[in-house]
Amino acid sequence: MANRPMITLAVLLALIGASCAADFEVGGDAGWVVPPAGQAGTYNEWASKNRFLLGDSVHFKYKKDSVMVVTEEEYDKCASTHPIFFSNNGDTEVRLDHAGLFYFISGVTGHCERGQKMAVKVIGPDAPPPAPPSPPHPSGAAPAVAFAGALAAVAATLLPVVLRGV
């Protein structure tokens, strides 16, 4: 019987954690566009400043363009004839459903070569402890991160109580 509260707490934390997935707006207000000349690393710089967790989503808004999820080789070549995923509807959301690297490129000829590409590293459940917090990003993901931190603090406070059976 002493394990019942512990199991209940674990299930509750898992459900709350799953609902904390963040939705990142790629490119912010500008959206998914060809970066200005001399700024080809814009999207990778943005991605490196964010922490993507399993279950998060990246959201692309664009006009007369497309988004492709491709292999690392296709990413490096800026070309794919059989992408893992393709969308050209102007409003694309990709759920980050596995840990590891995701590679995104524009499907419009010449756009990738000019910097419209991005690699995203997704952290799974076996990830090392988080780095110290950084300033919030205007992507809107910060509230979910703050909520997850508060949730962890509550769990740390309640866990000893549950374990003692109080």
Side-chain angles (χ1 to χ4, degrees):
M1 280 296 183
N3 283 340
R4 187 177 178 110
M6 182 68 162
I7 292 170
T8 302
L9 179 62
V11 169
L12 178 63
L13 290 175
L15 290 172
I16 292 172
S19 68
C20 292
D23 182 23
F24 293 87
E25 295 292 329
V26 177
D29 291 338
W32 180 241
V33 298
V34 176
Q39 296 180 15
T42 297
Y43 291 108
N44 283 331
E45 288 171 20
W46 173 82
S48 71
K49 293 176 184 172
N50 288 288
R51 182 177 170 95
F52 300 95
L53 302 176
L54 186 64
D56 287 349
S57 296
V58 286
H59 186 215
F60 298 83
K61 286 195 172 232
Y62 50 92
K63 295 179 182 173
K64 297 182 183 179
D65 210 318
S66 63
V67 176
M68 296 194 297
V69 177
V70 297
T71 65
E72 181 178 11
E73 181 181 343
E74 293 167 323
Y75 173 85
D76 291 339
K77 291 180 181 178
C78 277
S80 177
T81 55
H82 295 85
I84 298 165
F85 172 82
F86 172 84
S87 178
N88 64 353
N89 67 7
D91 190 14
T92 302
E93 186 170 310
V94 178
R95 186 169 171 269
L96 304 174
D97 61 359
H98 64 272
L101 290 166
F102 281 74
Y103 297 96
F104 300 94
I105 65 173
S106 168
V108 174
T109 304
H111 284 198
C112 178
E113 292 83 355
R114 292 172 29 211
Q116 196 175 356
K117 62 193 263 183
M118 177 177 68
V120 169
K121 181 178 181 181
V122 178
I123 301 169
D126 297 330
S134 58
H137 191 275
S139 67
V145 173
F147 178 73
L151 182 61
V154 169
T157 304
L158 292 178
L159 192 56
V161 173
V162 172
L163 290 175
R164 285 193 312 255
V166 176

